[in-house]
């Protein structure tokens, strides 16, 4: 995805947020924001990819903050909150003993709703009851773009590019359905910490490496997938996949620059830039297949 | 007020918003945002005043957009919406025939609520009923910081620094109370269009010049008041005022850099940066007097 004029202020807002997570020193917060402006000043112009700008901005902020994981606590909180809420989501998708197609669709929907929630905030401000209610509402509304029937025919060798902590816990519902059908899941996580994204360490701590067939990494802390920094085995996995599933907006922003097919983008459209780029509206629950 | 690390992304967001108001040409929108980044790159550092950065950013955007008033339509809409809603506000403050002190407090509260509403949006998305309900709720909650009893003793020669279109219509409720007490109001508006701020032309079109004793301007299209660009008569008016009333956040950001006294800041705290600088919380209705 090419950068939208709405991206720069949003990226700077995120830098400010992570600076606040990292330090109470207002001078250092200013420096992180100035670092972000420096990067924008250097590389932002029409036509650059939003993901690459995001990667450079956050790397610069982490360097200035001297902090390689400002979101560390948020990620732990997110995982705890999501684990506590998993049984409810599980019961909802299995309700009434659905057939395989319906089960897959419901699991996909649950994982897309997982992309909607900010679990780090949830732990403190939202009770389990409130989560259950919001989850149920979104679940009843269903997928606004639903290509799961076509995806169902392509599941024998899935490469699943993960997004955030918290969300990953709900992704296991999808892994379970695919593997219970006798198919294979290769999970792809970030090479090192960036934002709230899942890393190998998170996956191992959560025991999710036991719920899939392989775990690969993107090879770096790029936002989304930076192909110049990706290991060969990841590129080979993409090439040989029966279906690539890409979770969340950052993966869309980077994977949409390549022509891997078939690929399914599973996400909640949380901003106008991504929604427009996909030809959709903001606030949609999406499982969109490109063949 | 000195710039907060939260200001840069917020300023860029506003540039993006006004670029969208001004043009559908995405390339030009990019250029306006890049112009904003250029200004930040050049002058933003800890300790600069937020208002001066805002002024330069918006001037740069207007220049790039080749548009000296991107908010023109929004301002007309705001005034229309506020005029339609004025009678309800008027009846609310006069309910039960209050004494002068109570009447002044209620008029001040109404004008502070006027600072809360985005009237431009209201015209399209909110019915009169919804406005009335929200207005009533905020009115019943009252002022969170209420220095009106002390202000009441200082009203003989008020200099009133106006903020936005729409809001200005509710400010007339305050002018009426002060002038009915036999006192004088000098209204200060922007020297030329900036954001949705009131100009001499707006005041004349609305007939508000007839509701005050004098109208002066800030002498330029600076955000808030730029003293280097202000005419002598404005500085003299500030010096000889029995009370300066400053409406809204931008006027606070610039006037708080000087030591004019007594001054009353009447505003709704809409962002953390201004709220913190005033030692308050976000979402307060404020009439704060500094003597």
């Amino acid at each position: 995805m090419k950068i939208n004029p709405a991206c720069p202020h949003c990226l700077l807002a995120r830098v400010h947020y992570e600076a606040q997570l990292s330090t109470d020193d207002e001078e250092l917060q200013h420096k992180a924001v100035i670092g972000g402006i420096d990067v924008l000043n250097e590389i932002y112009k029409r036509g650059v990819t939003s993901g690459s700008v995001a990667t450079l901005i956050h790397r610069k902020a982490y360097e200035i903050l001297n902090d390689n994981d400002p979101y560390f606590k948020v990620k732990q909180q997110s995982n705890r909150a999501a684990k506590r809420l998993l049984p409810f989501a599980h019961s909802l998708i299995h309700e009434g003993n659905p057939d395989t197609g319906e089960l897959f669709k419901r699991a996909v929907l649950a994982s897309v709703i997982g992309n909607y929630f900010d679990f780090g905030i949830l732990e403190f401000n939202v009770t389990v009851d409130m989560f259950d209610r919001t989850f149920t509402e979104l679940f009843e509304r269903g997928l606004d773009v639903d290509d799961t029937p076509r995806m169902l025919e392509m599941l024998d060798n899935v490469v699943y590019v993960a997004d955030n902590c918290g969300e990953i816990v709900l992704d296991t519902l999808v892994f379970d359905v695919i593997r219970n059908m006798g198919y294979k899941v290769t999970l792809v996580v970030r090479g090192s910490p960036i934002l709230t994204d899942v890393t190998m360490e998170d996956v191992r701590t959560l025991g999710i490496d036991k719920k899939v067939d392989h775990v690969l990494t993107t090879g770096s802390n790029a936002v989304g997938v930076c192909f110049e920094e990706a290991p060969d085995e990841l590129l080979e996995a993409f090439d040989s996949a029966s279906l690539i599933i890409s979770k969340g907006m950052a993966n869309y922003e980077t994977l949409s620059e390549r022509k891997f097919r078939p690929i399914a983008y599973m996400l909640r459209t949380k901003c106008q830039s991504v929604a427009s780029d996909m030809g959709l509206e903001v606030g949609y629950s999406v499982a969109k297949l490109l063949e």
Side-chain angles (χ1 to χ4, degrees), chain A residues 228-287:
Chain A
E228 290 70 23
E229 297 169 354
D232 288 343
E233 57 179 0
L234 179 63
L235 301 174
E236 285 157 18
F238 278 144
D239 282 337
S240 61
S242 62
L243 175 66
I244 300 168
I245 290 180
S246 162
K247 270 309 288 290
M249 300 205 303
N251 287 324
Y252 170 78
E253 288 176 59
T254 48
L255 290 172
S256 62
E257 288 292 306
R258 299 277 174 131
K259 295 283 170 241
F260 294 112
R261 294 288 183 273
I263 188 164
Y265 293 108
M266 290 178 16
L267 54 83
R268 179 89 180 174
T269 49
K270 289 184 272 196
C271 81
Q272 191 60 58
S273 306
V274 167
S276 300
D277 199 70
M278 297 185 82
L280 303 173
E281 302 292 323
V282 172
Y284 274 17
S285 296
V286 177

Side-chain angles (χ1 to χ4, degrees), chain A residues 166-241:
Chain A
E167 177 180 353
I168 187 70
V169 174
L170 291 173
D171 290 331
T172 62
L173 296 165
V174 181
F175 306 158
D176 288 348
V177 174
I178 296 173
R179 295 183 81 215
N180 284 338
M181 291 166 74
Y183 300 136
K184 214 178 83 177
V185 174
T186 299
L187 179 62
V188 181
V189 297
R190 304 290 175 243
S192 47
I194 185 72
L195 306 174
T196 56
D197 292 6
V198 184
T199 63
M200 186 67 90
E201 198 185 329
D202 299 318
V203 159
R204 285 187 180 143
T205 305
L206 291 164
I208 291 175
D209 51 335
K210 306 286 188 298
K211 300 215 125 222
V212 296
D213 297 277
H214 299 289
V215 187
L216 300 176
T217 87
T218 58
S220 76
N221 72 342
V223 175
V225 181
C226 172
F227 289 96
E228 290 70 23
E229 297 169 354
D232 288 343
E233 57 179 0
L234 179 63
L235 301 174
E236 285 157 18
F238 278 144
D239 282 337
S240 61

